Amino acid sequence: MRLEIGSSHRRYSLHADLLAEGRVEITVVVCTTDGVIRGELTGELDTCDLSEVGRLIASAPIASAVETTSSAASPAPAKVTRHGQAWTPEAIIYLEEHYRAGKGPEHLAEELGRSEKSIRWKLYGLKLAPYPGDLVPDPRPAVEPEAPKAYTVEAKRQLYPNASLGA
């Protein structure tokens, strides 16, 4: 099952797969309207617990605090200091721990001195975030094949029947 809703600032996606023994795997993704992932929640539950978990989320007191902080102006992007450098095991552990703790790619990019694009691709590679399809460039338009060049007088006469080719 897949459900999606959106607002003027965010898109929300819920994906649920039924598993064996009355369990369900749920993934919730929150992203901006242009596809920048702002958060993800993934896990397994017994199907009998779904309604109570929904009530718990709906009654969470942090909802109003989250809305006010997310609507605040975003800070200027941090300067990338590790452009092209390989990921160290320590940086990967930091990324995994802090992403699971709720930090978004933009904050992790600032803290790790990398681009948000790099963070999102690494999260995808670690199977922590969905495929960042909005980062893939659009396919190039097909190139029109050129007409074959005529190198003989006969071929030139066929292409340009009214031309004077002097033979």
Side-chain angles (χ1 to χ4, degrees), residues 18-29:
L18 286 174
L19 305 174
E21 301 171 6
R23 294 187 62 78
V24 63
E25 180 179 34
I26 298 174
T27 302
V28 177
V29 177

Side-chain angles (χ1 to χ4, degrees), residues 73-96:
S74 303
K79 182 174 170 121
V80 176
T81 58
R82 299 190 181 277
H83 182 71
Q85 291 185 4
W87 283 86
T88 64
E90 296 82 14
I92 293 171
I93 291 169
Y94 183 91
L95 176 67
E96 289 175 330

Side-chain angles (χ1 to χ4, degrees), residues 36-107:
V36 176
I37 297 169
R38 295 294 186 194
E40 179 180 16
L41 178 64
T42 302
E44 287 184 24
L45 294 170
D46 284 326
T47 54
C48 63
D49 294 325
L50 286 174
S51 63
E52 292 302 315
V53 170
R55 284 184 45 217
L56 178 66
I57 292 171
S59 65
I62 60 169
S64 61
V66 171
E67 288 175 16
T68 57
T69 58
S70 67
S71 63
S74 303
K79 182 174 170 121
V80 176
T81 58
R82 299 190 181 277
H83 182 71
Q85 291 185 4
W87 283 86
T88 64
E90 296 82 14
I92 293 171
I93 291 169
Y94 183 91
L95 176 67
E96 289 175 330
E97 289 176 354
H98 287 84
Y99 181 74
R100 286 188 174 125
K103 285 194 179 177
E106 64 282 350
H107 295 280

Side-chain angles (χ1 to χ4, degrees), residues 127-151:
K127 299 186 182 340
L128 295 174
Y131 183 79
D134 61 304
L135 295 179
V136 178
D138 292 331
R140 293 182 183 175
V143 176
E144 296 282 329
E146 289 185 25
K149 297 191 180 193
Y151 292 105

